[in-house]
Amino acid sequence: MNKQPLTRQLPLAFDHDPATGRDDLIVSESLGAAVGIIDRWPDWPSPVVILAGPTGSGKSHLARIWTDRVGARRVDIARADPMVLEMAALGPVLIEDIDRAPFDETALFHLINAVREHGNWLLITTRLWPSAWKVTLPDLASRLKAATVVEIAEPDEALLAQVMVKLFADRQVAVDDRIIDWLVARMERSLAAARAIVTRIDQLALARGSKITRALAAEVMAEMDAGKGDIEVS
């Protein structure tokens, strides 16, 4: 597999001291727009930006980069809370995984208004586009239509290969490019699957004191196909 020089890499949540800084981003076509909007702050098209993408696509890690850069505060809108509005008056705020649990529509409406009133910014991450949130409050629906929605698409094979190389490298493991290519051609096209596969392969290799071979990779893929693999990444 030919490797192209990379100037930036995708930050992911790993257990083995990954490089998760802004200078370590791999910008692929699927991530370009999302990385671009984070880099553009504070020159955003609107004060509310929504990053929408599948599980494990890097939303949370882009949000972390943004939060570290701008000093944003994470807020909870499960219920109305005056403190949330006070935080929106002081600076940028973040809502992560808004689609994973019910939220108070009125609280979100007032938060967006506070952000706009005080000239601040709100970043929201979600697996679903706002149209799928089943919002019933008309005023909130109107506010969400004015927000900037940036989609993170599923990764292509080239990005998956680069990410898997990085995942193994974070574990201080070198794997033959032919094994990486073999895995990428057969795996689910998601970063969550890439992490689960690398974790399981490394676990088996360590437990057995063996090298990472095509046979070991095939064993893990068979586990995944049988539904025994655990793919749980935010």
Side-chain angles (χ1 to χ4, degrees):
M1 180 178 63
N2 293 326
K3 295 186 178 69
Q4 298 298 323
L6 303 171
T7 58
R8 297 180 288 183
Q9 295 182 324
L10 172 67
L12 300 171
F14 311 127
D15 300 323
H16 293 265
D17 299 324
T20 57
R22 177 60 187 85
D23 292 336
D24 299 306
L25 278 176
I26 296 176
V27 180
S28 69
E29 183 176 349
S30 62
L31 281 168
V35 173
I37 199 73
I38 295 300
D39 283 348
R40 281 184 59 183
W41 183 90
D43 182 24
W44 279 4
S46 65
V48 179
V49 167
I50 301 171
L51 294 185
T55 297
S57 62
K59 302 182 301 295
S60 294
H61 311 290
L62 287 171
R64 185 181 308 154
I65 290 172
W66 182 73
T67 298
D68 291 345
R69 176 185 170 192
V70 310
R73 303 183 185 189
R74 182 172 177 172
V75 298
D76 182 0
I77 53 165
R79 61 190 62 82
D81 183 350
M83 286 295 296
V84 171
L85 300 183
E86 290 182 19
M87 285 189 279
L90 295 173
V93 287
L94 165 70
I95 300 173
E96 284 201 78
D97 300 322
I98 195 172
D99 61 306
R100 289 186 178 271
F103 61 86
D104 187 308
E105 293 187 17
T106 301
L108 179 57
F109 173 71
H110 288 309
L111 174 60
I112 292 175
N113 283 347
V115 166
R116 292 159 57 113
E117 177 184 351
H118 295 284
N120 284 320
W121 301 267
L122 167 62
L123 179 66
I124 301 174
T125 66
T126 174
R127 294 168 300 171
L128 305 174
W129 278 61
S131 57
W133 295 355
K134 298 181 179 179
V135 169
T136 59
L137 186 65
D139 287 341
L140 175 58
S142 176
R143 290 288 186 269
L144 292 174
K145 287 180 181 178
T148 300
V149 182
V150 181
E151 181 179 15
I152 303 176
E154 292 185 349
D156 57 24
E157 290 190 1
L159 177 60
L160 281 177
Q162 293 164 11
V163 167
M164 294 190 82
V165 168
K166 182 184 188 302
L167 282 162
F168 279 117
D170 286 333
R171 294 169 176 268
Q172 299 183 340
V173 176
V175 178
D176 191 303
D177 286 346
R178 291 171 294 182
I179 295 176
I180 297 290
D181 290 343
W182 187 90
L183 286 166
V184 168
R186 291 161 176 80
M187 65 183 284
E188 173 189 314
R189 190 168 289 187
S190 76
L191 301 180
R195 180 184 179 185
I197 291 167
V198 168
T199 299
R200 183 57 177 156
I201 287 175
D202 189 39
Q203 287 173 344
L204 287 181
L206 287 173
R208 298 172 182 177
S210 67
K211 294 181 179 180
I212 296 176
T213 62
R214 172 81 67 85
L216 182 60
E219 181 180 342
V220 170
M221 289 304 299
E223 284 186 2
M224 296 293 172
D225 291 341
K228 297 178 182 178
D230 181 15
I231 303 178
E232 290 288 338
V233 182
S234 64

